[in-house]
């Protein structure tokens, strides 16, 4: 038997309304109606426009910025991204897309042009001149006697951390 509701008690009325609303929206015919309603293009456009306007408001932007600057949120995002990019299907997806991107002729041409322009810079030329002089003198020892002709790569930086552009420039000035 249902309990009687004291309609003068606001708390009881609120609880009753909440329970009724919950039961109403759980009905299959109501669910179907709202699902169909929300799929209509004019309703979708309306929601999208209002959502966009909401996120453009300065107070919302400020709140979001503050939220994402919190250390616990940053830590969570970092952990999630790390775990996400370690998934084999994600790795395979990104590898395939990267390979396809770098095979495009306009990308290849751009990379080639950039590389050519980069090695023509005077500071880069001076760096490599000093680096090669230092190698000939035996000041730069690369373990295993390997020579990396493609540039002073990350591998060499890991192996010879004391060799930097400033050190090379200083060596040039001494000569």
């Amino acid at each position: 038997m249902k309990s009687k509701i004291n309609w003068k008690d606001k708390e009881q009325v609120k609880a009753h309304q909440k329970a009724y609303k919950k039961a109403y929206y759980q009905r299959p015919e109501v669910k179907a109606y709202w699902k169909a309603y929300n799929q209509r293009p004019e309703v979708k456009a309306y929601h999208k426009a209002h959502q966009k306007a909401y996120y453009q408001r300065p107070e919302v932007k400020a709140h979001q910025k503050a939220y994402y600057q919190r250390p616990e949120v940053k830590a969570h995002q970092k952990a999630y991204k790390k775990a996400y990019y370690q998934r084999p299907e994600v790795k395979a997806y990104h590898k395939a897309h990267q390979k396809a991107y770098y095979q495009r002729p306009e990308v290849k041409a751009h990379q080639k042009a950039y590389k050519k322009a980069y090695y023509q810079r005077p500071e880069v030329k001076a760096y490599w001149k000093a680096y090669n002089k230092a190698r000939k003198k035996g000041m730069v020892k690369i373990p295993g006697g390997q020579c990396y002709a493609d540039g002073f790569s990350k591998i060499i930086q890991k192996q010879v951390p004391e060799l930097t552009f400033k050190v090379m420039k200083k060596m040039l000035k001494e000569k």
Side-chain angles (χ1 to χ4, degrees):
M1 190 173 144
K2 287 186 178 178
S3 62
K4 287 265 184 179
I5 297 169
N6 181 4
W7 293 103
K8 290 181 181 173
D9 184 8
K10 286 186 179 180
E11 293 299 319
Q12 272 191 3
V13 172
K14 268 190 177 177
H16 170 72
Q17 286 174 336
K18 190 176 180 182
Y20 178 79
K21 229 179 200 178
K22 190 175 181 182
Y24 174 78
Y25 284 105
Q26 292 303 316
R27 291 184 196 165
E29 65 273 11
V30 175
K31 276 186 174 181
Y33 168 79
W34 283 109
K35 189 174 183 180
Y37 175 80
N38 286 324
Q39 292 300 320
R40 288 169 34 192
E42 64 272 13
V43 174
K44 275 187 174 182
Y46 174 82
H47 285 300
K48 193 173 183 179
H50 279 267
Q51 193 176 28
K52 192 175 181 180
Y54 174 78
Y55 285 107
Q56 293 301 318
R57 287 165 44 193
E59 62 271 16
V60 175
K61 279 186 176 181
H63 180 267
Q64 276 192 319
K65 189 175 182 181
Y67 175 77
Y68 287 109
Q69 292 301 318
R70 287 167 42 190
E72 63 271 16
V73 175
K74 278 186 175 180
H76 172 73
Q77 282 185 320
K78 190 176 182 181
Y80 174 78
K81 281 181 182 176
K82 190 175 182 182
Y84 175 77
Y85 286 108
Q86 292 303 316
R87 292 183 198 167
E89 67 274 12
V90 175
K91 275 186 176 180
Y93 172 82
H94 282 286
K95 191 175 181 180
H97 276 264
Q98 223 174 9
K99 192 174 181 181
Y101 175 78
Y102 287 110
Q103 292 302 318
R104 287 167 39 193
E106 64 271 15
V107 174
K108 278 186 175 180
H110 173 75
Q111 280 188 315
K112 190 176 180 182
Y114 176 79
K115 196 173 184 180
K116 190 175 181 180
Y118 175 77
Y119 284 109
Q120 294 302 316
R121 291 181 191 171
E123 64 271 16
V124 175
K125 277 186 176 180
Y127 174 82
W128 282 106
K129 189 175 180 183
Y131 175 80
N132 288 329
K133 270 188 184 177
R135 276 205 82 230
K136 283 179 185 173
K137 287 184 176 179
M139 293 171 72
V140 179
K141 298 258 191 249
I142 299 172
Q146 296 166 325
C147 178
Y148 296 92
D150 64 337
F152 192 52
S153 66
K154 289 178 183 175
I155 299 164
I156 297 174
Q157 285 177 341
K158 284 179 184 171
Q159 292 171 348
V160 192
E162 68 276 357
L163 183 65
T164 62
F165 183 71
K166 286 182 180 177
V167 172
M168 287 286 147
K169 213 169 184 182
K170 191 177 177 184
M171 287 167 41
L172 263 178
K173 284 181 182 176
E174 288 173 5
K175 286 289 161 189

